Amino acid sequence: MEKPFFIFSESYSFISSYSFIIDLSWKCIDVNQFFTYKYQNNKSESGIQDHREYKAFGRQHWSLCLLCITIRGRLIWFEAKIIAMDASFSLIKYLCYPSLAILMTGCFENDILVQPEVIKDDDQLEVSLIESTEILLYNYFKDSLVTNGKTNFMVGSSNDSIRGNVNAISYLQFGPESAIRMNDEAQMDSVVLVLFYESFQYDTLPVFDLNIYELLENPEPDEYNAIYNFQTFEHRASPIVNKQVQALPHKDSLTVTLPYEFGHALFENSKSSSSIFNSNEDLEEEFKGLVIEALGNGPLLTFSETSYIGFYYRGSANIDQTNSQFKITVQSGTESFTNLTVDKSTGLLNGFASYTNIDAEQTSGAVMVDPLYESGIRIEFPEIQLLKEISESFFISSAVLHLPVKPGTYNNYFNTPAFSINVYTVDKSNQIIGSLGTVGMAAFDDQFQEQTYYEIPVKDFIDSQLSANYDNENALWITLPVSTTLTSRYLVLSSHSTQQKIKLDIVFLPLN
């Protein structure tokens, strides 16, 4: 029987193995028939001894025989499938074979994989799939990040072997939600700082030191109204609060009692007609704000701007009077920002300069997008122009970029990955020139970390590149979605198995 035509070379060794197994199965049967025949025609004592030896040897051959027959049956079924698919190869074989020859020696790792026929409206459509793994990936990061104007702030000091060691210190100003004036008989009982949790990154079990300083200088943004992560402003050398705390995710806030003397001085300035709580300007004459710092390896925490300083008081000296409260909030304050440093010397991007394309081959095949230093991922398809020859006879039905998440860089409890990304088109200088939208994670495998990946539809980008008359050096650009909050989640992408690799799958359909 004539062997079916197959484009990829592995099929020939497969067919050869098929013929070998068929021959072996028949030889197994011949051996056992020979032993049986010899015993029946020689029943002497020596013949019986021979049969005992042959019987053990024959049982082994029968086991091999049964295995070969089973495999032979499956191979016969598979060969029938191959013959059924043979017609599907004809159009590719005769119309596109020159183009395929080029592609097979180029960037397409698995060459051409032809899918079974698709029947539609009684017409047979030949569907072909090209899988490309010749994809260039680059890390890219900036040296500064705007951290003011956010609806949250970050506090924490954490060691991370992937992104590096992170240290976040918050500078907070407060303001009254409305003008406040106390009567002369009012008495303050206590003052507290209430920080409302927004997110937790890394293990919350460790106890860490929390230092709170009084700010002595108003944070001033630049002409673009920006304060950057590397900026600092003067504060008192000694903290007004130093205590050990533990982040408790089951609670909604972290409450710290502030010194009575600190609160009482502010409270007393609220009793006159020129109360410091009439406006932010009045308050900042006496109180610029607080600086909050965490020491030791602990979680990275973000807190909501609804956090506040609360004053508990009684309206008179009467001890039977019920306590009341007024508060000044971060949300009502003039400025708040996070001083944020990331020591990359312990992470994936150790030794690399900012504002440069860092080849993934220099980072063990991994690329990372991290909002803490505004990094992005550049993705290029250098051999995409070779598809033009096929596109003359076929059109692209779909194009999907498969991006696996690197195992060991995330978990669902302490280091949750980013579950959505923004995909843009950029020029050779990484300037954004278009958008492919926001893409959510296609699959999340927290248990085994083998099937966590993104799938990005990139048909529009591939079509635009094929329609260009020259290589314009455009690429895809991946970042995390723009947000009004500081986020600590990051994402590391990398091929890590034969099933989970960074690849581009393109499905073609014939034009006629």
Side-chain angles (χ1 to χ4, degrees):
M1 179 171 60
E2 183 181 357
K3 296 175 182 176
F5 172 77
F6 236 64
I7 290 180
F8 43 91
S9 60
E10 288 86 343
S11 60
Y12 294 111
S13 61
F14 181 81
I15 298 298
S16 299
S17 300
Y18 166 50
S19 301
F20 170 76
I21 291 173
I22 292 174
D23 294 339
L24 184 59
S25 64
W26 286 115
K27 288 175 182 177
C28 288
I29 296 174
D30 292 340
V31 168
N32 283 279
Q33 287 176 343
F34 169 77
F35 291 153
T36 302
Y37 174 81
K38 184 168 183 178
Y39 172 68
Q40 289 175 346
N41 289 276
N42 183 11
K43 296 187 178 181
S44 64
E45 182 175 348
S46 61
I48 293 172
Q49 178 63 30
D50 288 344
H51 177 69
R52 287 171 180 163
E53 296 174 0
Y54 292 145
K55 186 175 181 181
F57 183 68
R59 280 197 300 268
Q60 298 176 6
H61 279 75
W62 271 114
S63 299
L64 179 59
C65 173
L66 292 174
L67 175 61
C68 291
I69 291 172
T70 301
I71 296 175
R72 179 185 173 201
R74 292 183 178 272
L75 290 173
I76 291 173
W77 173 85
F78 186 76
E79 183 177 84
K81 297 288 287 185
I82 293 173
I83 294 172
M85 292 172 60
D86 187 48
S88 299
F89 283 94
S90 59
L91 186 58
I92 299 295
K93 174 181 174 183
Y94 293 109
L95 294 182
C96 299
Y97 189 77
S99 299
L100 299 179
I102 295 174
L103 294 172
M104 288 166 63
T105 59
C107 65
F108 302 106
E109 180 178 280
N110 288 348
D111 305 329
I112 304 300
L113 306 178
V114 177
Q115 305 281 18
E117 290 179 342
V118 177
I119 309 298
K120 183 176 181 182
D121 298 331
D122 296 327
D123 293 327
Q124 292 183 347
L125 297 177
E126 296 186 48
V127 180
S128 59
L129 169 67
I130 292 180
E131 181 182 276
S132 169
T133 54
E134 184 66 22
I135 299 172
L136 302 181
L137 299 105
Y138 300 92
N139 294 279
Y140 183 93
F141 65 91
K142 298 181 180 180
D143 61 2
S144 61
L145 176 70
V146 176
T147 60
N148 69 322
K150 305 295 183 180
T151 60
N152 66 351
F153 52 93
M154 187 176 293
V155 176
S157 179
S158 304
N159 300 330
D160 188 317
S161 60
I162 303 297
R163 74 184 345 165
N165 296 339
V166 182
N167 189 41
I169 303 172
S170 287
Y171 287 69
L172 308 176
Q173 289 194 293
F174 298 81
E177 296 177 306
S178 60
I180 301 169
R181 180 183 175 185
M182 295 289 103
N183 62 60
D184 292 340
E185 295 183 353
Q187 300 291 320
M188 191 194 82
D189 287 334
S190 62
V191 59
V192 297
L193 173 65
V194 179
L195 303 174
F196 288 107
Y197 292 121
E198 190 170 274
S199 70
F200 304 82
Q201 189 85 359
Y202 309 120
D203 192 357
T204 58
L205 185 61
V207 174
F208 58 93
D209 288 329
L210 191 71
N211 286 343
I212 301 176
Y213 303 86
E214 185 178 353
L215 186 61
L216 299 178
E217 180 183 8
N218 287 328
E220 294 290 343
D222 63 12
E223 63 271 24
Y224 302 105
N225 200 34
I227 301 178
Y228 294 89
N229 64 297
F230 56 84
Q231 291 185 258
T232 60
F233 296 89
E234 186 181 1
H235 60 77
R236 294 196 184 277
S238 299
I240 60 173
V241 173
N242 171 252
K243 67 175 298 183
Q244 288 192 323
V245 298
Q246 182 181 25
L248 301 175
H250 66 276
K251 292 189 174 182
D252 67 347
S253 62
L254 171 64
T255 300
V256 179
T257 301
L258 299 177
Y260 181 86
E261 295 78 9
F262 163 80
H264 185 261
L266 296 177
F267 186 84
E268 289 300 309
N269 280 324
S270 69
K271 292 182 177 181
S272 66
S273 58
S274 57
S275 170
I276 63 173
F277 297 114
N278 283 333
S279 67
N280 287 358
E281 291 78 10
D282 292 334
L283 177 60
E284 289 165 12
E285 288 293 327
E286 296 292 330
F287 174 57
K288 310 295 185 186
L290 297 178
V291 178
I292 305 176
E293 174 189 37
L295 300 177
N297 186 31
L300 202 58
L301 308 172
T302 59
F303 298 99
S304 168
E305 65 177 356
T306 57
S307 301
Y308 64 89
I309 295 175
F311 296 83
Y312 292 91
Y313 68 95
R314 288 174 284 115
S316 68
N318 185 353
I319 61 174
D320 295 327
Q321 189 171 2
T322 303
N323 274 4
S324 299
Q325 180 199 41
F326 76 85
K327 58 188 178 182
I328 52 177
T329 67
V330 175
Q331 188 173 23
S332 299
T334 303
E335 283 291 350
S336 65
F337 81 100
T338 301
N339 172 271
L340 186 63
T341 58
V342 182
D343 180 8
K344 302 180 190 67
S345 64
T346 61
L348 183 69
L349 300 180
N350 174 34
F352 296 105
S354 58
Y355 298 100
T356 59
N357 292 331
I358 305 163
D359 197 321
E361 292 185 357
Q362 298 178 276
T363 53
S364 304
V367 286
M368 178 170 62
V369 55
D370 190 337
L372 295 191
Y373 38 86
E374 204 167 351
S375 64
I377 298 171
R378 181 181 173 91
I379 303 176
E380 297 179 0
F381 307 95
E383 305 295 338
I384 199 171
Q385 294 299 317
L386 293 178
L387 294 174
K388 280 191 172 181
E389 296 185 38
I390 290 183
S391 64
E392 294 175 359
S393 301
F394 289 77
F395 73 92
I396 295 176
S397 173
S398 70
V400 177
L401 179 62
H402 185 83
L403 298 175
V405 180
K406 183 178 177 63
T409 62
Y410 65 93
N411 60 62
N412 200 32
Y413 301 100
F414 306 135
N415 195 13
T416 308
F419 287 110
S420 62
I421 55 177
N422 278 357
V423 185
Y424 300 97
T425 304
V426 294
D427 61 17
K428 62 181 180 181
S429 302
N430 294 333
Q431 296 299 312
I432 294 176
I433 57 177
S435 174
L436 275 67
T438 301
V439 178
M441 186 178 285
F444 180 59
D445 175 15
D446 180 51
Q447 184 175 6
F448 301 107
Q449 300 198 2
E450 296 175 352
Q451 298 292 329
T452 301
Y453 57 86
Y454 283 85
E455 288 192 335
I456 305 173
V458 294
K459 178 182 181 301
D460 291 343
F461 174 74
I462 300 298
D463 284 339
S464 68
Q465 292 299 96
L466 291 177
S467 63
N469 295 324
Y470 63 97
D471 184 4
N472 53 27
E473 299 185 59
N474 289 349
L476 295 181
W477 183 261
I478 292 177
T479 65
L480 296 187
V482 177
S483 176
T484 58
T485 64
L486 286 174
T487 178
S488 56
R489 294 181 180 182
Y490 63 92
L491 190 66
V492 183
L493 305 174
S494 174
S495 298
H496 55 84
S497 69
T498 55
Q499 291 77 28
Q500 290 299 320
K501 55 188 175 183
I502 295 175
K503 63 178 181 175
L504 173 65
D505 289 335
I506 304 178
V507 176
F508 284 92
L509 291 176
L511 289 172
N512 48 33

